[in-house]
């Protein structure tokens, strides 16, 4: 779905869904083409660790980022992380995306802020705020958090 909307190119980016109130979630496997993602290859993760025996794929390299967001923000039920070309160009420049039209304001309620670059010992979860759904990740890409457990909502916001 994300590929058809030109939100995700190649295998870059990922999508996850919280499966219950705990830290159990499903996430796209690393390096798998989106056209090849189906139920049997989705990775199940508990508290940042892949559940053994569920499938033979490795979870996304961004699994710990997703786990940290789910752990610290119970309102988040699905996450779409992309490297869509236009939004990522703002992230690479370290610039916020200002409100430019009513549709943007309707979806996001204000500008899309660029969170500062994070090293491995830091977390973008620090910048996630309840009620703010879209973020740019400096020098990296795009992060969309959704209250909905339907991943198409997070993808739709990333496409907006």
């Amino acid at each position: 779905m994300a590929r058809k909307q030109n939100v995700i190119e190649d295998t870059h980016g990922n999508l996850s869904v919280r499966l219950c109130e705990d830290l159990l979630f499903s996430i796209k496997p690393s390096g798998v083409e989106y056209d090849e993602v189906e139920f049997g290859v989705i990775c199940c993760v508990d508290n940042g660790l892949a559940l053994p025996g569920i499938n033979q794929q490795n979870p996304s390299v961004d699994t710990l980022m997703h786990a940290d967001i789910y752990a610290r923000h119970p309102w988040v039920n699905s996450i779409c992380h992309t490297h869509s070309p236009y939004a990522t160009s703002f992230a690479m420049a370290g610039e916020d995306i200002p409100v430019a039209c009513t549709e943007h304001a309707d979806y996001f309620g204000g500008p899309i802020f660029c969170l500062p670059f994070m090293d491995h010992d830091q977390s973008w979860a620090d910048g996630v705020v309840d009620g703010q759904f879209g973020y740019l990740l400096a020098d990296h890409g795009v992060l969309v958090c959704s209250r909905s457990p339907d991943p198409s909502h997070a993808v739709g916001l990333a496409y907006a």
Side-chain angles (χ1 to χ4, degrees), residues 118-138:
M118 297 290 169
D119 285 328
H120 295 289
D121 60 341
Q122 299 171 309
S123 174
W124 274 307
D126 293 339
V128 173
V129 177
D130 192 357
Q132 177 75 29
F133 304 110
Y135 303 89
L136 299 173
L137 307 176

Side-chain angles (χ1 to χ4, degrees), residues 92-131:
M92 296 307 291
E95 297 289 330
D96 299 339
I97 299 177
V99 176
C101 65
T102 56
E103 183 181 35
H104 177 139
D106 290 345
Y107 279 109
F108 297 102
I112 298 173
F113 297 109
C114 188
L115 301 178
F117 179 78
M118 297 290 169
D119 285 328
H120 295 289
D121 60 341
Q122 299 171 309
S123 174
W124 274 307
D126 293 339
V128 173
V129 177
D130 192 357

Side-chain angles (χ1 to χ4, degrees), residues 138-150:
D139 298 327
H140 189 78
V142 178
L143 175 70
V144 175
C145 299
S146 174
R147 292 183 190 284
S148 174
D150 179 351

Side-chain angles (χ1 to χ4, degrees), residues 34-123:
Y34 277 85
D35 296 340
E36 297 172 14
V37 173
E38 55 189 34
F39 183 75
V41 300
I42 298 295
C43 297
C44 289
V45 175
D46 188 12
N47 202 24
L49 300 173
L51 295 175
I54 301 297
N55 70 35
Q56 301 301 313
Q57 304 292 332
N58 291 321
S60 167
V61 296
D62 293 315
T63 295
L64 293 179
M65 174 180 67
H66 290 247
D68 195 24
I69 291 169
Y70 287 129
R72 295 168 63 185
H73 302 286
W75 65 272
V76 176
N77 288 302
S78 59
I79 298 169
C80 182
H81 169 57
T82 79
H83 297 261
S84 55
Y86 299 118
T88 298
S89 65
F90 277 86
M92 296 307 291
E95 297 289 330
D96 299 339
I97 299 177
V99 176
C101 65
T102 56
E103 183 181 35
H104 177 139
D106 290 345
Y107 279 109
F108 297 102
I112 298 173
F113 297 109
C114 188
L115 301 178
F117 179 78
M118 297 290 169
D119 285 328
H120 295 289
D121 60 341
Q122 299 171 309
S123 174

